[in-house]
Amino acid sequence: MIDKRPKTPREVAAFSLFSMAEEGAWSDGALHHYLSRAGLDGRDAALAARLTYGTVQNELLLDWYLRSFSSLRLKKIAPRVLACLRMGLYQLILMDKIPAHAAVAETVSLVRHYCHANDRTVSFANAVMRKAAEAVEKNALPRLDCPDKESYYALRYSHPEWLVRLLSEQFGQKLTERICQADNADTPVSVRVNRMKTTPDEAKAELERAGMTVTPHRAFADILLCTGGDAAATEAFREGRITVQDAASALAAFVADPKPGTAVLDCCAAPGGKSFAMAEKMQGKGSLTSCDIYEHKLKRIQEGAARLGLPNIRTELQDASAFRAEWAESADTVLCDVPCSGLGIIRKKPETRYKDPDEIAKLPALQLAILENCARYVKKGGTLVYSTCTILRRENEDVVRAFLAAHPEFAPAPWSHPVCGGREDGMVTLLPPEHDTDGFFIAKLKRIGN
């Protein structure tokens, strides 16, 4: 991380973008780090977040515009200068409350002070920004001229074209555009109420007293959608009355439906949200084993369980693809939230869209291997839940159907919830524009027998 204390929203955003480019930091982690150092008020912190996420969300489109205004090829522009120019163009072209003179002046200032830039580079940045500002003022921006809708959506919403075409094939053009739009929209912070400590109405009132705007989720009573503040910095969070969790993740715990006094295994548990939700459904009774392959992530789960008052959670360092013989047929409920492409949570981690498609294509084989391994831990008559935070069919339905074809001892288990209605085949793909959740997949299976 850059060893400087940012003082303005644009400095917070620029430092976050620099950390992403130079250190491989995730946008949310980098932004949280620099916001905590800057100590901005709510309004300025919100601007810093919008600048950071907006620049990343629209990177392909901003680069397309930048080619029209730059005398240099993008590969010839230093990474920090490129990040500042992208953020400057974002303010000029895609934000409507930033004065052009401010966007130009502040961008040039960032380049001068934080990009190791000489006078020539500063002049270049100034020229680019002034050309762009003039084009915006004259309503003379280059027109997005694309051969078909998929290529237009890819450019307009800065999604890789391979991904847009895959989504269009799977969901159709209209829904694909809505998915891309949702990926670039502002997203409220979703918190789940810990009913062992409070009620949704009480939690809502407490968060509103802390200065946030709170809206109950339209179909999930325990989920509150918050804007205007940091829910994780509230007393309600510190004392375990709420926890940050999306409705889709909470739904996976609902579908698993573990009963008090039973044995539950969460095979890929970090950061722990689904374990926490299941343990609360169990009223703290029975045993819930949360597994991960990293010690530091297990420590976070332990801290979360203590904060929420969940004594029935224990952690185990365990690779979900490796068999643990002593766990065979020992669990009433097994949850496999497997490693995936993460393409359902682009709205929260916008850089996810730029993952290597060749690496993503390798995931279904790993996912099926984990599912087959962890299925061996389910008791006869027990429940197996498979979930991902992606919306790609090849990582979801295709994996489950391949598993069922090879394992006749398991069958789909129907379920229903107001978020998505009845699911007779046990499976659902949740989409941000349709369900007000992250993009997510859940499949519920039963092991046949008594």
Side-chain angles (χ1 to χ4, degrees):
M1 294 290 185
I2 299 168
D3 189 25
K4 291 181 182 289
R5 185 181 298 276
K7 297 178 181 179
T8 70
R10 288 178 177 84
E11 288 181 354
V12 168
F15 289 8
S16 299
L17 295 170
F18 297 165
S19 291
M20 292 175 65
E22 296 168 12
E23 301 157 25
W26 285 101
S27 55
D28 54 350
L31 179 63
H32 178 77
H33 172 77
Y34 289 112
L35 281 175
S36 66
R37 299 196 70 190
L40 303 177
D41 62 25
R43 183 175 178 179
D44 280 348
L47 175 57
R50 180 81 315 263
L51 292 173
T52 303
Y53 289 131
T55 301
V56 179
Q57 287 167 342
N58 295 281
E59 182 176 305
L60 299 179
L61 177 62
L62 295 171
D63 283 356
W64 187 84
Y65 281 122
L66 183 54
R67 291 185 185 96
S68 299
F69 304 122
S70 172
S71 59
L72 295 176
R73 289 185 298 162
L74 268 56
K75 289 184 178 180
K76 295 290 187 179
I77 302 174
R80 287 195 180 187
V81 177
L82 182 59
C84 291
L85 290 174
R86 285 169 175 162
M87 186 169 71
L89 291 186
Y90 174 68
Q91 294 168 74
L92 283 174
I93 298 171
L94 298 174
M95 296 184 75
D96 56 9
K97 294 183 179 180
I98 304 293
H101 66 85
V104 173
E106 294 292 341
T107 298
V108 173
S109 178
L110 289 171
V111 170
R112 177 180 290 113
H113 291 105
Y114 300 114
C115 295
H116 315 295
N118 56 28
D119 290 344
R120 183 178 179 181
T121 300
V122 173
S123 296
F124 163 74
N126 184 60
V128 169
M129 290 300 297
R130 289 190 177 278
K131 286 180 185 177
E134 183 179 3
V136 171
E137 183 181 5
K138 294 181 177 179
N139 196 26
L141 285 170
R143 182 174 176 270
L144 305 186
D145 188 13
C146 302
D148 57 26
K149 287 188 176 180
E150 282 80 9
S151 59
Y152 173 78
Y153 299 155
L155 179 57
R156 173 62 184 84
Y157 304 110
S158 289
H159 283 58
E161 191 167 327
W162 70 265
L163 175 58
V164 174
R165 293 194 182 281
L166 192 58
L167 295 178
S168 183
E169 178 184 332
Q170 187 170 321
F171 297 110
Q173 289 179 336
K174 289 184 179 179
L175 183 51
T176 293
E177 182 177 22
R178 292 176 60 210
I179 291 169
C180 292
Q181 288 174 330
D183 285 343
N184 287 1
D186 285 338
T187 305
V189 175
S190 175
V191 302
R192 183 179 54 76
V193 178
N194 180 0
R195 285 185 179 263
M196 294 176 65
K197 291 192 173 187
T198 190
T199 67
D201 286 344
E202 290 169 346
K204 179 176 182 291
E206 184 175 3
L207 291 169
E208 288 174 339
R209 288 195 297 272
M212 277 174 275
T213 300
V214 183
T215 305
H217 192 282
R218 61 181 174 83
F220 209 116
D222 292 349
I223 297 295
L224 303 175
L225 304 177
C226 306
T227 58
D230 183 359
T234 63
E235 187 175 338
F237 180 88
R238 290 192 297 271
E239 297 186 358
R241 290 185 288 278
I242 63 168
T243 194
V244 177
Q245 185 176 26
D246 188 77
S249 174
L251 182 62
F254 170 88
V255 171
D257 195 25
K259 305 302 181 186
T262 60
V264 177
L265 183 61
D266 189 349
C267 297
C268 309
K274 288 179 271 308
S275 285
F276 303 152
M278 289 191 293
E280 289 169 28
K281 285 182 69 67
M282 298 164 70
Q283 300 171 21
K285 301 172 183 176
S287 67
L288 195 156
T289 304
S290 295
C291 306
D292 202 79
I293 58 174
Y294 298 108
E295 286 278 10
H296 70 279
K297 292 186 177 182
L298 294 179
K299 184 178 179 182
R300 286 184 61 193
I301 294 173
Q302 293 162 1
E303 293 169 348
R307 178 177 60 83
L308 293 163
L310 302 170
N312 58 330
I313 291 180
R314 68 183 181 92
T315 58
E316 285 278 351
L317 190 68
Q318 178 65 26
D319 182 344
S321 64
F323 184 55
R324 188 91 167 247
E326 65 268 32
W327 290 355
E329 298 189 23
S330 65
D332 298 285
T333 304
V334 172
L335 174 62
C336 287
D337 187 65
V338 298
C340 71
S341 60
L343 295 172
I345 56 171
I346 289 175
R347 64 182 190 156
K348 291 181 178 175
K349 291 190 173 182
E351 60 270 44
T352 301
R353 73 190 75 191
Y354 304 121
K355 282 186 175 181
D356 184 347
D358 292 334
E359 291 301 312
I360 290 174
K362 299 175 184 177
L363 286 169
L366 172 64
Q367 293 159 342
L368 180 57
I370 290 175
L371 182 58
E372 290 188 316
N373 180 60
C374 294
R376 295 195 278 178
Y377 303 140
V378 183
K379 292 179 180 178
K380 290 181 179 178
T383 297
L384 175 62
V385 173
Y386 174 87
S387 64
T388 73
C389 57
T390 186
I391 57 176
L392 298 187
R393 183 182 296 133
R394 65 192 185 193
E395 297 182 58
N396 295 335
E397 293 95 333
D398 290 354
V399 170
V400 173
R401 287 172 182 145
F403 171 81
L404 289 172
H407 295 274
E409 71 274 23
F410 283 88
W415 55 274
S416 180
H417 190 278
V419 169
C420 55
R423 316 307 300 184
E424 288 304 311
D425 64 355
M427 294 188 277
V428 67
T429 298
L430 300 170
L431 301 173
E434 292 200 330
H435 302 100
D436 291 334
T437 67
D438 286 341
F440 212 83
F441 175 79
I442 303 169
K444 183 175 185 177
L445 310 175
K446 273 285 186 184
R447 183 164 186 176
I448 300 168
N450 298 318

